[in-house]
């Protein structure tokens, strides 16, 4: 059997930082190539890659004889609106190139992180189905939905094994995310420990789907290790864990840090959050490959407060 050699793009980001460690545990440090636009610490091979250069990606695939790709590099929803052309190039054109390279170089599996950002104002807000009316209102959502469709096309036309998840807002303590609409759910933990006060850029009752990092890693690895015949789609699987609003997470943290205070000053991100949904139906992920989240909102809160370093 051929050795598994994994390339991870965007390895310095919120998910990449933690996923790299999990993949290296599984496949060995030397068999997981971290790559990012900026230098980063790495206890294994690292390559500087600007994902908009398909020539550079091809070079790295050839150099290490890469067999699997996790393409994490992306601009998130809020930052994406500040430069829509660059976001389209990074989020979609680079992925389109990677699909073509995967086909050309016989890549055995490709992971594409999608997002709740693919939902839009016409999408049912409660228990969003796997397939519904998805008309995203951000370039981030448009690029990710197009990416999902392109991945499904490659699966149907060329048999490429593309796997994808629609991640909710990701909560973690290792790296503070920037440029997203769900960032408040991480920022509040750091602010709670540092200043004892948080100013939320969303209204108090804006509820969004969220997930804790250990469940992100579990879901990704479980999906990527599922038998190919159990994967019924290369579109992103809906992935649910818990939902929370700024007030709900504030009240949960307050149980442990009673001095915490909060103020609400909604900004442009409110409009993006309002176009997304509150809860999602992830029954397809559960029945296809046995998805089951482990962390509730209260368990996540306890773990975050134990681990956030300020
Ligand atoms: C964002 O807020 O843009 C991301 C996401 C939900 O995909 N965290």
């Amino acid at each position: 059997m051929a050795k598994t050699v994994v390339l991870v793009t965007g390895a310095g980001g919120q998910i990449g930082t933690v996923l790299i460690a999990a993949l290296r545990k599984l496949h060995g440090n030397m068999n997981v190539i971290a790559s990012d636009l900026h230098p980063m610490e790495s206890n294994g091979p690292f390559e500087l890659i600007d994902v908009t250069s398909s020539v550079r990606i091809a070079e790295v695939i050839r150099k290490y004889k890469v067999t699997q790709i996790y393409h994490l590099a992306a601009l998130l929803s809020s930052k994406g609106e500040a430069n829509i052309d660059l976001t389209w190039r990074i989020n979609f054109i680079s992925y389109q190139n990677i699909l073509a390279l995967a086909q050309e170089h016989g890549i055995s599996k490709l992971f594409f992180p999608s997002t709740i950002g693919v939902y839009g104002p016409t999408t049912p807000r409660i228990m969003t189905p796997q397939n519904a009316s998805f008309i995203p209102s951000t370039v981030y959502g448009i690029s990710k939905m197009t990416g999902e469709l392109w991945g499904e096309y490659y699966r149907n036309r060329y048999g490429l094994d593309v796997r994808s998840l629609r991640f909710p807002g990701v909560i973690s303590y290792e790296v503070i995310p920037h440029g997203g609409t769900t960032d408040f759910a991480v920022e509040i933990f750091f602010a709670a420990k540092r200043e004892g006060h948080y100013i939320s850029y969303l209204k108090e009752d804006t509820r969004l789907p969220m997930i804790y990092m250990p469940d992100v890693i579990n879901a990704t690895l479980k999906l990527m290790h599922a038998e190919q015949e159990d994967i019924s789609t290369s579109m992103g699987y809906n992935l649910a864990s818990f939902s929370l609003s700024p007030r709900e997470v504030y009240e949960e943290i307050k149980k442990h840090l009673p001095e915490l205070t909060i103020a609400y000053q909604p900004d442009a991100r409110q409009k993006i959050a309002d176009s997304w949904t509150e809860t999602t139906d992830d029954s397809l992920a559960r029945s296809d490959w046995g998805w089951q989240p482990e962390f509730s909102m209260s368990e996540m809160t306890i773990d975050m407060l134990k681990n956030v370093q300020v």
Side-chain angles (χ1 to χ4, degrees):
M1 212 165 77
K3 184 169 82 159
T4 299
V5 180
V6 182
L7 170 64
V8 180
T9 70
Q14 186 191 15
I15 296 178
T17 315
V18 187
L19 187 62
I20 281 283
L23 287 170
R24 285 191 168 147
K25 219 181 224 175
L26 269 179
H27 301 292
N29 287 13
M30 298 313 287
N31 296 322
V32 178
I33 294 84
S35 74
D36 204 275
L37 187 57
H38 306 289
M40 58 179 270
E41 273 185 32
S42 176
N43 58 354
F46 173 80
E47 294 284 338
L48 280 173
I49 292 185
D50 174 347
V51 290
T52 61
S53 165
S54 134
V55 171
R56 177 72 185 121
I57 297 170
E59 213 172 81
V60 174
I61 290 175
R62 275 195 296 269
K63 175 172 170 188
Y64 294 95
K65 298 189 172 53
V66 168
T67 62
Q68 295 186 9
I69 301 178
Y70 289 66
H71 178 45
L72 307 184
L75 290 184
L76 299 182
S77 55
S78 163
K79 193 164 179 193
E81 293 304 285
N83 191 338
I84 59 172
D85 293 333
L86 181 65
T87 304
W88 180 252
R89 281 205 302 281
I90 290 180
N91 291 9
F92 179 66
I93 303 292
S94 75
Y95 182 49
Q96 192 185 28
N97 290 337
I98 282 178
L99 282 163
L101 289 172
Q103 159 73 2
E104 189 187 327
H105 292 269
I107 296 296
S108 64
K109 274 184 209 167
L110 176 53
F111 178 73
F112 177 65
S114 188
T115 164
I116 55 168
V118 300
Y119 310 144
T122 60
T123 311
R125 278 194 64 77
I126 304 294
M127 287 302 272
T128 305
Q130 175 68 30
N131 295 306
S133 169
F134 297 150
I135 308 178
S137 49
T138 60
V139 68
Y140 174 63
I142 295 169
S143 60
K144 288 291 184 178
M145 181 35 76
T146 316
E148 283 194 27
L149 289 165
W150 214 243
E152 181 71 0
Y153 180 81
Y154 265 75
R155 168 197 170 93
N156 292 331
R157 176 151 183 185
Y158 303 111
L160 194 67
D161 191 352
V162 180
R163 305 185 182 196
S164 177
L165 295 169
R166 290 181 187 142
F167 283 126
V170 174
I171 302 177
S172 66
Y173 54 81
E174 292 87 351
V175 173
I176 307 184
H178 293 290
T181 302
T182 57
D183 297 352
F184 73 91
V186 178
E187 290 171 0
I188 191 170
F189 283 93
F190 284 83
K193 281 196 144 178
R194 211 167 24 216
E195 291 98 19
H197 182 67
Y198 181 62
I199 301 176
S200 170
Y201 56 78
L202 294 184
K203 290 183 201 158
E204 62 179 318
D205 54 355
T206 305
R207 285 189 100 222
L208 291 169
M210 297 284 172
I211 188 169
Y212 193 37
M213 184 61 91
D215 277 328
V216 166
I217 303 302
N218 279 342
T220 307
L221 296 182
K222 209 165 171 61
L223 173 72
M224 288 300 274
H225 288 87
E227 295 298 330
Q228 197 171 0
E229 60 265 25
D230 292 335
I231 303 297
S232 62
T233 182
S234 285
M235 300 290 285
Y237 278 93
N238 274 2
L239 192 72
S241 187
F242 49 84
S243 297
L244 57 75
S245 65
R247 182 170 43 78
E248 284 169 319
V249 66
Y250 160 69
E251 279 168 4
E252 195 61 42
I253 299 173
K254 223 171 134 63
K255 289 180 190 164
H256 308 274
L257 299 174
E259 307 294 303
L260 178 64
T261 54
I262 190 165
Y264 301 96
Q265 290 174 13
D267 65 17
R269 287 169 278 191
Q270 183 66 48
K271 197 166 162 217
I272 299 176
D274 288 342
S275 76
W276 293 352
T277 71
E278 203 173 308
T279 56
T280 55
D281 174 359
D282 63 357
S283 48
L284 189 66
R286 288 173 187 256
S287 60
D288 274 8
W289 45 275
W291 160 241
Q292 177 82 54
E294 281 177 13
F295 280 81
S296 64
M297 176 168 81
S298 53
E299 288 164 332
M300 171 280 293
T301 302
I302 291 168
D303 204 58
M304 279 293 281
L305 289 173
K306 201 167 75 193
N307 286 293
V308 161
Q309 305 281 343
V310 291

